[in-house]
Amino acid sequence: MAALDHLAASIGLLSLRDLVPVMQASGYHDLNMLNAAALAAALVLDEVAGLSFGRRARSADLVVRTDGPLLREAAAELGVGCSLRSR
């Protein structure tokens, strides 16, 4: 709960209207909805960061608390970092 004290003043959410086409195009239909949305969000945010800040390297990675081989493999194939954070 202490992490809640360090949240940004405003938090933006990505619309599913933006994420669903990316989820479908990724081809990873075995992922559950939450994993597919997280992976799509990382791809979209990385693209936005690249356009806004001129970055070439990946900047949007996933940090998960539960390791899942399907998400880990999909992230690796798409070049999205995926790391496990312990509680």
Side-chain angles (χ1 to χ4, degrees), residues 63-81:
V63 179
V64 298
R65 290 198 183 255
T66 304
D67 187 31
L70 288 175
L71 177 60
R72 190 175 359 99
E73 291 167 11
E77 287 182 23
L78 293 172
V80 174

Side-chain angles (χ1 to χ4, degrees), residues 11-54:
I11 299 173
L13 297 176
L14 295 172
S15 168
L16 282 176
R17 292 186 188 275
D18 296 323
L19 295 181
V20 168
V22 177
M23 292 163 62
Q24 290 175 328
S26 75
Y28 294 98
H29 304 292
D30 292 338
L31 293 175
N32 67 37
M33 183 73 158
L34 184 59
N35 285 343
L39 187 57
L43 292 168
V44 169
L45 290 171
D46 186 62
E47 184 66 25
V48 168
L51 293 174
S52 299
F53 304 110

